[in-house]
Amino acid sequence: MSRIALVTGATGAIGKAIARQLAEHETFEVVLACRYEEKAQQAVTEIQRAAGNPNVRYELVDVSRHSSVQALVNRWRGPLHVLINNAAASPRQQQETPEGIELQFATNVLGYFWMIQLFSEQLKASAPTRVINVASYWAGDLDLTDLEFKRRRYTNGTAYRQSKQANRMLTVAFATRLKPYGVTVNACHPGDVNSRLSNDLGFGGQTTPDEGADTPVWLATDPAGQRETGKYFEQRRETRCRFGEDTAAVEALYAACLAYA
Ligand SMILES: NC(=O)c1ccc[n+]([C@@H]2O[C@H](COP(=O)([O-])OP(=O)(O)OC[C@H]3O[C@@H](n4cnc5c(N)ncnc54)[C@H](OP(=O)(O)O)[C@@H]3O)[C@@H](O)[C@H]2O)c1
């Protein structure tokens, strides 16, 4: 029986490498969660060929919009064994989604939150299952009183670092809630990869997309990824995460995200 993996941002540098590496495990059926149909179809064809696995398909979703994530969940049939939250954006100018939320918070934070929350019934029903949140070591300056940069001056670097701190905090919040159901939730830093995202942030990147995909794919496939939960990993190694240790802040962020549903 194949295991079903859903990967967001699978047209991007790291996401496409994650999806292809998973498809190379013949036990996986891989679903690419993408925004644009043409790009999605191209990525499916490329990954099917490269991995030699025909069981690759796409679903269209804009993770920055609650209504779009909900629509994907509503039309989802069958089990879900691995969810990899990886889609992210970091526009240089402050932008809002059609639902009126600052774009980077909506995509990088609420996108991860909604994918886990709204798919939680499928994840529980298919257990043992795993969620992997692609975060970053470049994280910090989260302000619980100004998550959407209404008071602070927006710079995309600050908003990005906040969002990646939030990914790591929410990993702990969901891990606690889903542990009784056999669903593990872990976060990781992928590596510094040259991508649109890293370029928007003013960086290049010296590791390859395949190297960047290594730790997320390891968490999705190695027994460690089912044994451990609520942890943060760099280069396959559990790494202390001070953001996840502040339980009051973790719970406050979880409650703030819940209010956006
Ligand atoms: N690159 C690095 O050095 C680095 C370092 C640390 C952590 N990371 C993390 O790694 C992850 C992947 O980054 P990357 O470097 O591979 O970036 P990337 O190449 O720019 O890819 C980003 C992906 O996210 C998708 N996406 C953006 N907004 C979306 C939305 N609203 N709905 C659905 N999909 C959306 C993009 O889709 P489109 O193709 O449709 O735009 C693209 O597939 C991110 O979580 C990032 O924070 C990256």
Side-chain angles (χ1 to χ4, degrees):
M1 254 256 303
S2 56
R3 288 174 65 70
I4 317 295
L6 179 60
V7 184
T8 72
T11 52
I14 297 169
K16 201 195 284 181
I18 292 172
R20 199 207 70 249
Q21 288 186 24
L22 287 176
E24 284 167 357
H25 291 253
E26 67 280 5
T27 50
F28 272 108
E29 180 179 324
V30 183
V31 184
L32 317 185
C34 308
R35 284 193 281 191
Y36 303 118
E37 187 146 30
E38 199 176 322
K39 264 176 133 175
Q41 186 54 63
Q42 271 172 15
V44 164
T45 307
E46 194 183 314
I47 293 168
Q48 282 175 333
R49 277 205 199 111
N53 182 347
N55 297 317
V56 180
R57 62 185 178 85
Y58 68 84
E59 287 285 347
L60 293 181
V61 64
D62 178 341
V63 299
S64 72
R65 298 167 71 167
H66 184 272
S67 55
S68 181
V69 178
Q70 185 68 69
L72 169 63
V73 174
N74 291 348
R75 63 179 190 270
W76 189 269
R77 296 287 172 269
L80 175 61
H81 300 102
V82 172
L83 166 63
I84 303 197
N85 278 317
N86 161 82
S90 191
R92 287 174 190 227
Q93 303 301 322
Q94 190 161 7
Q95 291 177 31
E96 268 192 6
T97 66
E99 292 174 350
I101 305 170
E102 187 274 307
L103 187 84
Q104 202 162 170
F105 181 66
T107 308
N108 305 6
V109 182
L110 294 174
Y112 283 36
F113 185 93
W114 291 330
M115 287 294 288
I116 304 172
Q117 186 201 30
L118 299 178
F119 269 113
S120 63
E121 289 316 310
Q122 286 82 353
L123 288 162
K124 288 178 192 172
S126 318
T129 51
R130 311 173 186 203
V131 176
I132 294 104
N133 291 324
V134 179
S136 179
Y137 59 21
W138 201 48
D141 287 333
L142 182 132
D143 185 341
L144 278 163
T145 68
D146 189 29
L147 292 168
E148 291 192 59
F149 287 82
K150 290 190 169 148
R151 186 171 39 76
R152 288 177 290 170
R153 191 174 70 85
Y154 175 91
T155 67
N156 69 331
T158 314
Y160 178 78
R161 289 179 69 248
Q162 164 173 280
S163 75
K164 293 291 120 177
Q165 175 177 346
N167 292 160
R168 288 161 57 172
M169 293 167 73
L170 291 169
T171 294
V172 175
F174 278 110
T176 310
R177 286 164 174 81
L178 294 173
K179 191 173 182 178
Y181 302 96
V183 184
T184 63
V185 187
N186 289 297
C188 63
H189 170 69
D192 295 330
V193 175
N194 192 29
S195 69
R196 189 186 61 218
L197 181 92
S198 73
N199 294 172
D200 281 346
L201 287 163
F203 298 108
Q206 62 280 35
T207 50
T208 65
D210 266 328
E211 288 165 343
D214 181 71
T215 299
V217 170
W218 175 76
L219 282 168
T221 54
D222 191 89
Q226 199 66 63
R227 197 172 54 237
E228 305 295 345
T229 193
K231 306 277 173 61
Y232 168 67
F233 292 83
E234 291 178 3
Q235 294 186 322
R236 298 190 178 194
R237 269 195 303 278
E238 187 189 330
T239 304
R240 185 176 167 210
C241 175
R242 65 192 163 91
F243 305 128
E245 291 170 5
D246 184 346
T247 309
V250 165
E251 288 306 313
L253 178 62
Y254 183 88
C257 291
L258 206 53
Y260 280 90

